[in-house]
Amino acid sequence: KIQPPYRESLLTYILMNSFGGNSKTIMIATVSPSILNYEETLNTLRYASRARKVANTTRANVQSDVRTIREIEVQIGSLEAQLQGLPGELEQKDNQIASLQEQLQFHQLLVDELQKKTDDQRRQWEITEKEKEEQLARETEERERLLKKYEQLSTNY
């Protein structure tokens, strides 16, 4: 088997896939009977002779059915394994969801309890403020009453 000299000629390099690849190649060499084209005709015949010595063995670009079937069986096995693992994963996710729901309920109860305590404290504060204002008003009235009485007593004496 002769290795084609791909780098020697631009034409050989361009046709590299046809010469050395998996295809059938037909070459037509055009020659001229004129003496003026003698060198070109000679080079063409030499090139065609070298290209003719290149022997290719063709093979089909088709995968064998057995190999394809094995690949598909492997894929089916992989998919079945993934499918069998899904119920376990779903159960695990369901357990996580239930746990998170319990935590959410617990935190909601805490929030409700804190809200209730805050409301009670606010009401108590409002009541205390109201009582303080009433006490201040009573003390102010009492002071004014005592001042008036003091002025009356002072003017009388």
Side-chain angles (χ1 to χ4, degrees):
K1 187 175 182 180
I2 297 173
Q3 177 68 28
Y6 293 126
R7 300 279 183 209
E8 286 182 14
S9 166
L10 180 62
L11 182 60
T12 308
Y13 185 73
I14 291 172
L15 297 173
M16 179 172 51
N17 290 332
S18 296
F19 287 148
N22 192 14
S23 61
K24 291 185 180 183
T25 306
I26 296 174
M27 176 175 275
I28 299 173
T30 307
V31 293
S32 172
S34 171
I35 194 77
L36 298 172
N37 297 326
Y38 176 76
E39 286 295 319
E40 190 174 334
T41 300
L42 188 60
N43 286 336
T44 302
L45 290 172
R46 284 184 189 149
Y47 179 80
S49 175
R50 280 188 312 198
R52 192 172 126 207
K53 291 180 183 177
V54 175
N56 282 341
T57 55
T58 59
R59 51 184 148 57
N61 288 332
V62 179
Q63 290 182 348
S64 68
D65 292 339
V66 174
R67 183 175 171 192
T68 305
I69 290 171
R70 285 186 189 146
E71 289 175 358
I72 292 173
E73 286 174 346
V74 168
Q75 287 178 353
I76 289 171
S78 172
L79 292 173
E80 284 176 345
Q82 289 177 2
L83 189 60
Q84 289 175 356
L86 286 178
E89 289 178 24
L90 290 176
E91 184 177 337
Q92 183 181 11
K93 296 294 182 187
D94 287 342
N95 291 340
Q96 287 177 348
I97 289 171
S99 172
L100 290 173
Q101 285 176 339
E102 288 174 7
Q103 289 178 7
L104 178 64
Q105 288 175 352
F106 174 74
H107 289 297
Q108 188 63 41
L109 289 173
L110 285 176
V111 167
D112 291 344
E113 185 177 325
L114 288 173
Q115 185 68 35
K116 185 179 178 184
K117 283 183 180 180
T118 304
D119 290 345
D120 290 344
Q121 288 175 349
R122 184 177 45 81
R123 283 189 205 104
Q124 186 63 35
W125 179 80
E126 288 174 352
I127 291 171
T128 304
E129 280 297 310
K130 199 175 201 181
E131 288 175 352
K132 285 181 182 179
E133 288 174 3
E134 289 173 356
Q135 180 68 24
L136 182 64
R138 282 194 303 266
E139 289 176 359
T140 305
E141 286 176 10
E142 182 66 24
R143 182 173 179 248
E144 288 176 8
R145 188 182 63 78
L146 288 175
L147 279 174
K148 284 183 185 178
K149 194 172 189 181
Y150 175 76
E151 287 177 6
Q152 285 176 355
L153 289 175
S154 299
T155 54
N156 288 340
Y157 294 112

